[in-house]
Amino acid sequence: MSLSDHPRAYGTAALTAAFVAGIFVTLGFKDLYPELEGRYQRKRSINRGALGAAGAGGGGATKKSRRGSFFFGPVELEDHESSSTSIVDGIEGCIGNTPLIKIRSLSEATGCTILAKAEFLNGAGNSPKDRVALNMIEVAEEQGLLTPGQGDTIYEGTVGSTGISIAALARAKGYRAHICMPNDQSAEKSNLLHHLGATVERVPVAPITSPNHFVNLARTRAREHTAASAAGKSVSKGFFANQFESSANYEAHIKTTGPEIFSQTGGRIDAFVAGAGTGGTIAGVAKFLKEDRHLMDLRVVLADPQGSGLYNKVKHGVMYSPTEREGTRRRQQVDSIVEGIGINRITENFEAGRGLVDDAVRVTDEQACRMARWLAEHDGIFVGSSSSVNCVAAVVTALSLPEGSRVVTLLCDSGTRHLSKFWKQIADMGLEEEEENDDIVQKQPPQDLLAALGLAELRR
């Protein structure tokens, strides 16, 4: 009689077969379990911050082949720990792959997840300009405009960060750097440039139409160098980096920043918020996310300091600010204490992505100062003025979106570059004052973020 005629016997046979198969499976993986457990325990002990920094060198996962069982054959294991011990080639290997940080206090205040790309952790000049400087230099090398080791000089007009990145990379790649910058920028920046071996010209503030404007002066210095070479007075070349107009600027963010943000968020991002000086960051990231990854529902928002004309250009299509009137500016570039972003002209870089910018948020100096102090007090994040503007605009943007939305912005550079101006202003506003209460020193920033920023009317 067949087993099908005896259900109980059939069930017993099936159970026995399953038990035997289970033994084979166990034997097949018996050597694998201890290693997997060991990997798990070792991975838990790794400092994630150190891993992220080491991973900036681009070390990817590797595979290790391991002896398999008689049943399953060789087993391939992916080793994601190798990046923690990878070696990068030079300081340029430390550029990129910066962490994406959830800013807890801002997320809690808005009901959205606010994420910030920690660009101050780039390894050369400690700002997003590392990406730009490296790409501009590499493109120039490909075009024969720069040749390492023959005394070529990179000239640039900058308010600071790009010059610092160029100075660091120039030394690393065998060039000299000559930086022209307005004399109203923080002393920390020019001091750092000097220590990096750059020649620094701090020049009086002048309009862009003047040959003495810091950008125009850098262009002139490069031409003079090149002319001397043509006359046989020098074998070296002068190269004007031209960050405001060079397409290598925004292309650096198409190649690196945009893809990193997409990967780190899994493509789940509702808004991207960034300021614009040259305009390369906002244009490059917007082009990658909207054009290359087709995130057409993504809102790209410009964070603009007071006095800049870009806010009006985005909102109303006209480049105008009341502070552009003759004699009303505290600074020539924009009427703001904020450095690095804000401008009263349209650069080629900004124009490349202007059609992809959906909205703009204007941020006052007071809001920027209060945000910087808030981040230091509540999140332990010590940043400069442009980062503070980005975070204020990220909060405003988040409050205009449904709860639970994801907003990404940038933390551009450390507050250590802004001690003599921006952070001095914060201190002068009394935001760092302390008072004694029951023998306990208590900090006194407002505990309501929206009230502190004057945004209480936007409360949900």
Side-chain angles (χ1 to χ4, degrees), residues 142-174:
E142 292 170 2
Q143 297 174 347
L145 301 175
L146 284 172
T147 304
Q150 68 174 23
D152 290 357
T153 300
I154 304 170
Y155 294 85
E156 184 58 301
T158 170
V159 296
S161 291
T162 304
I164 292 168
S165 296
I166 287 175
L169 289 169
R171 284 298 184 183
K173 295 175 72 65

Side-chain angles (χ1 to χ4, degrees), residues 8 22 26 59 81 94 124 129 145-146 148 160 185 230 246 288 306 355 403 408 411 437 449 459:
R8 181 175 298 177
T26 302
E81 295 177 327
C94 298
K129 297 301 185 180
L145 301 175
L146 284 172
Q185 300 301 292
S246 171
F288 178 82
Q306 65 182 52
E403 288 193 42
V408 174
L411 300 177
N437 183 14
L449 174 63
R459 196 183 308 277

